[in-house]
């Protein structure tokens, strides 16, 4: 490959679409971004217009191609995407039958309650590694078939195609020639057997979904197809598809079993590489495919926290306690280590509690306030809550058989906060590591695309490219850590609405 070789990575996220051009050494050369309008037809429903997603992908790709010297030298395209979001489209016209139903959309919640009541969850967990939840694609697709006139009959005739966003974009980019997805995205549909690496006939029957609509499931890296030459001026191979959290795991070079990455954005997603073994969680974590390369599947355990960055957003926009997200650091750092009366705990269950508690009806609380408590104490407690919640997830991972990791690799907007990273190291008792290039999701897509086209021969090249920017080493005394964690557990127990994980 020549020195001008470039890789174009697309990150189609929940709130924005980005394209980043990388050089062959995975250095970013140019970035373009467009916001994505959110559609809320009803409380708890969230949709995206797939045409707007498509237009944004084409526009941002064209921008970074133009900014980096044109299409010559662009060797491959990699796509990473918001997971689970569901598109159903007409194979002839290419038009979606309705808006995409977004992962956050809860319209399938009743269906999931029914599935659990009827005892289907063990089968779902055994086959897919997931819990019966409306986040995943299956109930979204079932809803479309129930509510879009003629959709089921059209699917039976073979006229419709289903895909998560990666699959829809691949289909569009290749001019409707390739209908495929990768194993990471398939593993989030609740229709895919992650052990057999195949669509599951029993689950398709359970959700009444015709098999004719399903994409072909492939490795995360490899040549999926080539783009329509008219789109960018030349046909470019698409050589990677990967779900966003799995993309971040790759971008963080977490390739050895036991390595963990934690992404702190609006929410927080922790993924732990478990190697070729799919660990079944007994602590309400998800088992998922981390990546599939050369036919070999690597698995991960995943836990998510609904409210991480939202704590800071609420402190800023909800109650006006801070003027900017960055200001939270100065407030927390300005206090004595133990300033204030006792300990204040902020349990930010604004939209319920995620893993490992799964209590959607719990609501937030700030407890332990004294007469001398100040804004700074509340801000600090908000930052601390993100660390305690991470500790809860790591505890669940350990209970599911994961060995203690050597370090916690972090990224996302909140990872800018060094005070947070130090408290995270103290509470988890692990070194916390932040890489130089924080956009790990899109970097992961670029790495996989490079692997898929042979720019990189294996994952070692990715490891070599990972560079440490900031490290926090635990310094808190063991007794203090234990006491604080006990205080957090007590605070969480006070807001739980049920204790059975529902
Ligand atoms: P997403 O991808 O989910 O939109 P980002 O990774 O961009 O999120 O992170 C944005 C979140 O990080 C916001 O919720 C913001 O409040 C929070 N954030 C940004 N900077 C800081 C900071 N210095 N300290 C704490 N939180 C921060």
């Amino acid at each position: 490959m020549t020195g001008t070789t470039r890789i174009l990575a697309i990150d189609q996220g929940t709130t924005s679409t980005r394209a980043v051009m990388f050089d062959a050494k995975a250095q970013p050369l140019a970035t373009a971004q467009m916001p994505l309008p959110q559609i809320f037809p009803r409380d708890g429903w969230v949709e995206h217009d797939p045409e707007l997603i498509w237009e944004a992908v084409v526009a941002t790709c064209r921008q970074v191609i133009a900014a980096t010297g044109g299409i010559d030298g662009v060797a491959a395209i990699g796509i990473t995407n918001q997971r689970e979001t569901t598109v159903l489209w007409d194979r002839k016209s290419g038009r979606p039958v309705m808006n995409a139903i977004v992962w956050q959309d809860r319209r399938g919640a009743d269906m999931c309650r029914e599935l659990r009541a009827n005892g289907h969850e063990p089968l779902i967990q055994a086959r897919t590694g997931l819990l019966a939840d409306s986040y995943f694609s299956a109930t979204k697709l079932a809803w479309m078939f129930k509510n879009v006139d003629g959709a089921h009959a059209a699917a039976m005739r073979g006229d419709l195609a289903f895909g998560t966003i990666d699959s829809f974009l691949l289909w569009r980019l290749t001019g409707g020639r390739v209908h495929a997805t990768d194993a990471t995205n398939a593993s989030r549909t609740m229709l895919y057997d992650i052990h057999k690496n195949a669509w599951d006939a029993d689950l398709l029957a359970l959700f009444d979904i015709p098999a004719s609509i399903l994409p072909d499931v492939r490795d995360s890296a490899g040549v999926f197809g080539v783009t329509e030459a008219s789109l960018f001026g030349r046909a470019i191979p698409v050589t990677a598809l990967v779900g966003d959290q799995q993309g971040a795991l790759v971008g963080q070079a977490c390739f050895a079993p036991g390595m963990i990455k934690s992404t702190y954005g609006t929410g927080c997603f922790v993924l732990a590489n478990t190697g070729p073994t799919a660990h079944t969680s007994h602590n309400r974590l998800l088992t998922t495919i981390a990546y599939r390369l050369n036919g070999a599947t690597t698995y991960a355990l995943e836990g998510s926290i609904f409210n991480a960055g939202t704590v800071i957003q609420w402190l800023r926009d909800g109650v006006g306690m801070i003027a900017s997200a960055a200001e939270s650091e100065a407030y927390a750092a300005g206090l004595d280590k133990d300033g204030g009366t006792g300990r204040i705990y902020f349990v930010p269950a604004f939209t319920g509690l995620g893993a490992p508690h799964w209590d959607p009806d719990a609501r937030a609380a700030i407890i332990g306030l004294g007469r001398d408590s100040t804004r700074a104490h509340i801000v600090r407690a908000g930052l601390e809550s993100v660390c305690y919640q991470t500790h809860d997830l790591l505890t669940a991972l350990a209970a599911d058989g994961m060995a203690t990791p050597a370090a916690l690799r972090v990224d996302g907007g909140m990872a800018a906060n060094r005070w947070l990273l130090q408290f995270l190291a103290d509470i988890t008792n692990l070194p916390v590591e932040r890489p130089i290039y924080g956009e790990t999701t899109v970097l992961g897509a670029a790495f996989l695309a490079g692997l898929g086209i042979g720019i990189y021969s294996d994952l070692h090249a990715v490891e070599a490219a990972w560079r440490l920017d900031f490290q926090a080493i635990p310094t808190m005394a063991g007794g203090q850590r234990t006491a604080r964690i006990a205080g957090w557990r007590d605070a969480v127990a006070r807001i739980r609405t049920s204790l059975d994980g529902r």
Side-chain angles (χ1 to χ4, degrees):
M1 291 286 167
T2 70
T4 59
T5 300
R6 284 166 285 142
I7 299 170
L8 173 55
I10 298 165
D11 179 1
Q12 204 304 299
T14 311
T15 57
S16 74
T17 302
R18 290 193 310 148
V20 182
M21 191 71 82
F22 290 91
D23 70 13
K25 294 204 168 107
Q27 295 300 309
L29 302 171
T31 301
Q33 182 160 357
M34 280 175 74
L36 179 62
Q38 310 292 306
I39 303 164
F40 303 110
R42 284 194 206 176
D43 184 40
W45 291 23
V46 190
E47 297 182 357
H48 288 158
D49 180 345
E51 296 299 347
L52 292 183
I53 289 179
W54 169 242
E55 284 165 22
V57 164
V58 174
T60 51
C61 285
R62 284 183 178 153
Q63 277 180 47
V64 293
I65 291 168
T68 52
I71 195 71
D72 292 336
V74 179
I77 294 179
I79 302 174
T80 184
N81 55 288
Q82 51 167 323
R83 304 175 301 173
E84 297 120 12
T85 297
T86 300
V87 191
L88 185 63
W89 68 92
D90 186 301
R91 289 181 191 272
K92 284 194 206 98
S93 70
R95 277 200 209 96
V97 303
M98 64 168 283
N99 279 333
I101 301 185
V102 177
W103 60 275
Q104 295 153 321
D105 188 292
R106 309 299 295 168
R107 79 186 69 180
D110 285 344
M111 209 183 299
C112 290
R113 259 188 289 275
E114 222 170 278
L115 288 167
R116 289 193 294 259
N118 293 333
H120 292 300
E121 190 162 60
L123 175 83
I124 291 173
Q125 192 189 21
R127 302 276 168 87
T128 70
L130 307 174
L131 299 169
D133 194 282
S134 61
Y135 279 125
F136 310 111
S137 311
T139 59
K140 302 179 194 300
L141 205 42
W143 191 94
M144 288 182 179
F145 280 123
K146 280 203 190 96
N147 292 279
V148 177
D149 275 352
H152 203 271
M156 294 309 285
R157 289 194 303 272
D159 289 347
L160 298 186
F162 151 72
T164 39
I165 295 294
D166 55 303
S167 192
F168 173 67
L169 292 177
L170 176 70
W171 194 84
R172 283 278 174 105
L173 286 166
T174 59
R177 286 188 303 274
V178 185
H179 184 211
T181 186
D182 90 301
T184 67
N185 277 294
S187 77
R188 313 299 296 189
T189 58
M190 212 156 83
L191 298 169
Y192 190 70
D193 185 327
I194 59 170
H195 310 286
K196 291 188 181 146
N197 259 294
W199 296 112
D200 188 276
D202 294 329
L203 293 175
L204 291 169
L206 183 64
F207 291 99
D208 193 19
I209 290 170
S212 67
I213 64 168
L214 298 170
D216 185 30
V217 184
R218 304 192 188 163
D219 287 353
S220 310
V223 179
F224 284 84
V226 296
T227 59
E228 275 281 280
S230 59
L231 279 172
F232 306 124
R234 194 165 63 80
I236 308 292
V238 179
T239 60
L241 305 181
V242 66
D244 54 10
Q245 297 308 321
Q246 285 90 337
L249 192 74
V250 172
Q252 287 276 24
C254 292
F255 301 128
M259 290 184 83
I260 300 186
K261 77 88 196 171
S262 191
T263 299
Y264 296 93
T266 308
C268 159
F269 289 89
V270 173
L271 252 74
N273 187 320
T274 64
T277 315
H279 284 260
T280 301
S281 177
H282 303 289
N283 294 281
R284 308 196 64 75
L285 300 174
L286 307 175
T287 312
T288 204
I289 293 181
Y291 41 85
R292 201 176 89 193
L293 299 173
N294 300 318
T297 304
T298 298
Y299 293 91
L301 275 172
E302 172 174 328
S304 51
I305 299 166
F306 298 152
N307 292 287
T310 51
V311 177
I312 298 303
Q313 290 164 18
W314 180 80
L315 288 167
R316 186 191 58 198
D317 309 331
V319 291
M321 280 196 187
I322 50 176
S324 68
E327 207 178 88
S328 62
E329 179 160 2
Y331 274 115
L335 290 172
D336 293 345
K337 273 224 147 169
D338 274 304
T341 313
R343 294 297 305 175
I344 297 170
Y345 289 94
F346 184 163
V347 190
F350 298 121
T351 49
L353 287 165
H357 310 290
W358 293 99
D359 187 343
D361 299 320
R363 285 298 174 265
I366 300 171
I367 64 164
L369 295 170
R371 182 65 183 81
D372 58 349
S373 300
T374 63
R375 161 200 326 234
H377 294 100
I378 292 173
V379 172
R380 181 175 70 177
L383 291 173
E384 288 177 352
S385 74
V386 175
C387 308
Y388 290 123
Q389 291 184 93
T390 306
H391 180 263
D392 286 348
L393 287 182
L394 295 178
T395 306
L397 282 169
D400 280 336
M402 289 275 305
T404 305
L408 187 63
R409 292 192 165 178
V410 297
D411 50 55
M414 288 193 102
N417 190 315
R418 290 181 179 217
W419 188 92
L420 176 94
L421 299 188
Q422 182 58 50
F423 194 77
L424 184 61
D426 285 339
I427 288 301
T428 61
N429 202 24
L430 290 173
V432 168
E433 301 177 343
R434 185 180 71 195
I436 289 176
Y437 186 62
E439 301 298 338
T440 56
T441 303
V442 74
L443 181 65
F447 274 138
L448 288 171
L451 203 60
I453 196 77
I455 293 176
Y456 310 121
S457 53
D458 55 31
L459 294 174
H460 293 305
V462 183
E463 259 161 18
W466 190 93
R467 294 263 182 285
L468 183 71
D469 172 47
F470 175 76
Q471 187 181 41
I473 302 290
T475 56
M476 189 180 277
Q480 207 183 1
R481 179 184 310 119
T482 312
R484 290 188 178 192
I485 291 167
W488 164 256
R489 293 205 168 127
D490 175 61
V492 172
R494 287 170 197 238
I495 64 150
R496 294 292 302 272
T497 60
S498 64
L499 292 172
D500 66 351
R502 286 280 174 266

